C-alpha cells in the first residue's frame, strides 16, 4: 500500500457507502447496514468518529501494518489467520476472542479470515490483503451480521479483499511471488485454521503447510513482539481506562462482605461491564484461605471464612486491552497481626519494584525479579523464616515478579526478559508469598497464608505510571473501607 493512499480512505471511512446487494447499483449509508462488529456509524455510543475499534483509529492500524512492513525484507509477506470459533457442544459456541496479532494489524473482529501484508520492492510501500466471509443472508439470520468483502476494503482499508471461501485460488499466487513468508499459522502442531478452505487436501498433510513447502518460511512472532511491545498513546489510553475502572471495581468489592468466592466473582464481572469495560480480561483467581496457595486457582467455588484472607487476581479489558491486578485482603475487613506483618513486608517489596519502573533506572524484568527476591528474602528473615533452607524462595515465591501486558495478559510471548525496559512499555509487578499448610520448615502462624500484590505499570522515562492505582493496597486504607 502506498502510504499516500490510505489517509484518503481513512477520511472517507466515517461515512462510507456500500452496494446494497452484490448485483445492485444503489448505494446506502453504512448506518443502514449491519456489520460483524461495532462501528461508529452503527454504535456511536461505543466507537468515536475515526475509530475502527474502541480507542484506536483506522489510521493507527495502517501505521501498525506499515511498521511491520518496514521490518520485513523486500518482496516478502506476512500471513496471519483470525481465530476460529470454538464450540462447547453441538452448535453451542464459546465467546469469540480474536487472535491478538491479527487483531493488532487489522482491527477485524470476526472468525474465518486471513490477512496478508505484502512488502514490495521499497521500504515505504505495502499491500494489505484481507480475505473474509462474504455476506450471507441465511447464515446471518442464525449467527448475526457479517461485515463482508466490500467492508473489508471500505471500512478496514484492505487494498485487496476477497471471499475466504475462494482463498485457495487467491492465496497461492501471493505466496509464490514472495521470496520469504513470515507466519505462525499451524506452528503449534494443530491443524491449520485455513486448511479447510483448501479443497482436496490430504488428511495427513496440513494444506497450508503444503502450500508453503517450496517457500522460505520464518516465524512472524518475533517481529510482532517488536512492533507490539511499545504502546502508542491511544493504546495507553485504552489501558488507562481498563486499569482505572478495574481498580475501582476491586476497591468497591473490598467494601462488601462475601460469603463465597463465586459471589465475589459475580460482583467483579458485573462491575467491569456496567462501569464501561468490555468484560473480564481473563478467568480470575478468587482464592479464599488456602486456595490462595494455588497460583492459578480458578474454580472459585468455595466458602469464604471471616478469619481468612481472599486473594483476587482479576481485571477487565477495554477495546481488547487488558489490565492485570491482584489484591489480597481479609474477608472480615481487619487484618490479624500475622496477616498484617506478611502483607506489609510484601507491599514494601512491591512498592520498591514499582519505583524502579522507569527507563532511567536501567532495569529489565529479570533485574526487577532479582530486586524482588532479595527484598523478600530479607523480609522473610525478619519475620522469622530460615532463608538458609534449600529452595526457600522456590517454594515460597515460585513465579516471576512480572510480565509484559497489552492485548494479551502475557504480552509479547517469548520476548526476552533480559532486555532493558523502555518508555511506554507496560508490565506487571506482582511479588507474592505462599506458605504451605503442613510444612514445619516455616513459622506456624504463617502457614497456609497466600498473599500477592500486583499492579499494571507503564514504564516512564523518569516517572512511573501505575495504571491500576484506584485499587487500594495500603493496610490502613483497606481497613477503613468497612
Amino acid at each position: 500500500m502506498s502510504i499516500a493512499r490510505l489517509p484518503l480512505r481513512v477520511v472517507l471511512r466515517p461515512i462510507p457507502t456500500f452496494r446494497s446487494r452484490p448485483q445492485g447499483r444503489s448505494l446506502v449509508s453504512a448506518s443502514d447496514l449491519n456489520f460483524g462488529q461495532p462501528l461508529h456509524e452503527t454504535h456511536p455510543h461505543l466507537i468515536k468518529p475515526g475509530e475502527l475499534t474502541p480507542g484506536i483509529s483506522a489510521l493507527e492500524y495502517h501505521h501498525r501494518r506499515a511498521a511491520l512492513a518496514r521490518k520485513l525484507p523486500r518482496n516478502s509477506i506476512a500471513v496471519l489467520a483470525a481465530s476460529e470459533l470454538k464450540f462447547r457442544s453441538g452448535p453451542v459456541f464459546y465467546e469469540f476472542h480474536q487472535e491478538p496479532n491479527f487483531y493488532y494489524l487489522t482491527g477485524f473482529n470476526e472468525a474465518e479470515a486471513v490477512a496478508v501484508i505484502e512488502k514490495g520492492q521499497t521500504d515505504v510501500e505495502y499491500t494489505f490483503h484481507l480475505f473474509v466471509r462474504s455476506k450471507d443472508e441465511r447464515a446471518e439470520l442464525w449467527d448475526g451480521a457479517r461485515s463482508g468483502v466490500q467492508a473489508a476494503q471500505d471500512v478496514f482499508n484492505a487494498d485487496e479483499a476477497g471471499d475466504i471461501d475462494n482463498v485457495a485460488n487467491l492465496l497461492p499466487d501471493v505466496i509464490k511471488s514472495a521470496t520469504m513468508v513470515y507466519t505462525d499459522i499451524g506452528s503449534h502442531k494443530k491443524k491449520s485454521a485455513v486448511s479447510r478452505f483448501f479443497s482436496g487436501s490430504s488428511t495427513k498433510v496440513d494444506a497450508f503447510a503444503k502450500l508453503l513447502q517450496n517457500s522460505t518460511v520464518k516465524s512472524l512472532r518475533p517481529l510482532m513482539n517488536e512492533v507490539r511491545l511499545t504502546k502508542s498513546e491511544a493504546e495507553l489510553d485504552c489501558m488507562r481506562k481498563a486499569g482505572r475502572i478495574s481498580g475501582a471495581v476491586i476497591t468497591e468489592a473490598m467494601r462488601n462482605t462475601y460469603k463465597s468466592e463465586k459471589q465475589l466473582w459475580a460482583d467483579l464481572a458485573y462491575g467491569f461491564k456496567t462501569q464501561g469495560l468490555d468484560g473480564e480480561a481473563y478467568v480470575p483467581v478468587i482464592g479464599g484461605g488456602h486456595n490462595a496457595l494455588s497460583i492459578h486457582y480458578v474454580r472459585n467455588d468455595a466458602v469464604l471464612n471471616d478469619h481468612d484472607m481472599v486473594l483476587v487476581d482479576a481485571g477487565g479489558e477495554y477495546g481488547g486491552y487488558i489490565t492485570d491486578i491482584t489484591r489480597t485482603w481479609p474477608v472480615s475487613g481487619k487484618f490479624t497481626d500475622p496477616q498484617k506483618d506478611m502483607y506489609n513486608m510484601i507491599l514494601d517489596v512491591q512498592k520498591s519494584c514499582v519505583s524502579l519502573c522507569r527507563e532511567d533506572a536501567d532495569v529489565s524484568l529479570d533485574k526487577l525479579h532479582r530486586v524482588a527476591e532479595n527484598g523478600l528474602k530479607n523480609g522473610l528473615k525478619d519475620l522469622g523464616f530460615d532463608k538458609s533452607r534449600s529452595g526457600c524462595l522456590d517454594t515460597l515465591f515460585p513465579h516471576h515478579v512480572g510480565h509484559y501486558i497489552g492485548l494479551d495478559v502475557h504480552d509479547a510471548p517469548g520476548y526476552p526478559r533480559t532486555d532493558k525496559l523502555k518508555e511506554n512499555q507496560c508490565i506487571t509487578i506482582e511479588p507474592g508469598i505462599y506458605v504451605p499448610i503442613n510444612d514445619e520448615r516455616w513459622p506456624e502462624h504463617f502457614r497456609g497464608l497466600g498473599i500477592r500484590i500486583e499492579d499494571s505499570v507503564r514504564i516512564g522515562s523518569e516517572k512511573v505510571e501505575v495504571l491500576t492505582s484506584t485499587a487500594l493496597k495500603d493496610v490502613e486504607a483497606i481497613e477503613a473501607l468497612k
Side-chain angles (χ1 to χ4, degrees), residues 204-424:
K204 295 183 179 179
V205 179
D206 182 284
F208 185 70
K210 188 174 182 180
L211 186 63
L212 297 177
Q213 63 186 359
N214 295 320
S215 302
T216 301
V217 181
K218 290 190 175 184
S219 174
L220 178 61
R221 176 180 286 181
L223 297 184
M224 289 304 305
N225 284 348
E226 290 177 11
V227 297
R228 283 178 53 182
L229 201 63
T230 299
K231 305 299 186 284
S232 70
E233 196 61 31
E235 290 180 286
L236 291 172
D237 282 343
C238 287
M239 297 180 72
R240 288 175 179 124
K241 180 172 182 175
R244 182 179 69 254
I245 293 175
S246 296
V249 169
I250 289 174
T251 293
E252 185 61 29
M254 293 180 191
R255 296 181 189 274
N256 300 324
T257 300
Y258 297 96
K259 297 299 183 181
S260 70
E261 295 168 348
K262 185 175 291 187
Q263 183 186 19
L264 174 49
W265 181 7
D267 261 15
L268 292 173
Y270 177 80
F272 295 152
K273 282 194 173 182
T274 58
Q275 297 304 311
L277 301 185
D278 301 331
E280 294 174 295
Y282 50 91
V283 179
V285 174
I286 314 291
H290 299 163
N291 291 333
L293 301 179
S294 180
I295 310 302
H296 287 159
Y297 168 83
V298 293
R299 282 178 50 182
N300 305 336
D301 58 3
V303 170
L304 292 174
N305 299 306
D306 282 347
H307 61 274
D308 284 334
M309 300 188 78
V310 58
L311 185 153
V312 173
D313 186 339
E317 72 173 32
Y318 178 72
Y321 288 88
I322 68 94
T323 188
D324 199 351
I325 308 173
T326 304
R327 291 293 185 265
T328 312
W329 68 88
V331 174
S332 67
K334 299 297 180 182
F335 290 80
T336 65
D337 289 341
Q339 290 170 351
K340 184 182 296 185
D341 290 343
M342 180 66 77
Y343 184 94
N344 278 330
M345 185 276 289
I346 296 169
L347 182 60
D348 287 344
V349 172
Q350 201 255 1
K351 287 182 175 180
S352 69
C353 290
V354 168
S355 71
L356 294 173
C357 293
R358 314 181 316 271
E359 187 170 329
D360 66 356
D362 194 26
V363 294
S364 64
L365 278 171
D366 276 353
K367 186 173 181 179
L368 287 172
H369 185 71
R370 291 192 293 272
V371 171
E373 283 187 321
N374 290 333
L376 293 173
K377 283 180 181 179
N378 293 332
L380 289 170
K381 181 180 178 181
D382 292 341
L383 293 177
F385 284 72
D386 183 357
K387 70 174 186 177
S388 67
R389 289 183 180 272
S390 176
C392 171
L393 280 193
D394 290 340
T395 299
L396 300 176
F397 178 43
H399 58 80
H400 204 278
V401 77
H403 53 81
Y404 295 104
I405 53 172
L407 283 175
D408 283 308
V409 180
H410 287 254
D411 216 39
Y415 193 85
R417 291 169 170 167
T418 53
D419 275 22
K420 178 183 174 182
L421 295 170
K422 297 180 180 178
E423 185 177 13
N424 291 343

Side-chain angles (χ1 to χ4, degrees), residues 35 58 75 93 119 123 191 225 234 353 357 410 423 430 435 447 469 474:
F35 299 88
N75 299 315
F93 47 82
K119 174 76 169 281
D123 290 331
K191 183 174 176 62
N225 284 348
C353 290
C357 293
H410 287 254
E423 185 177 13
E430 49 181 307
V435 187
R447 293 178 203 165
S469 59
D474 289 317

Side-chain angles (χ1 to χ4, degrees), residues 74 80 121 184 349:
R74 294 181 182 182
L80 305 95
Q121 297 186 19
D184 294 312
V349 172

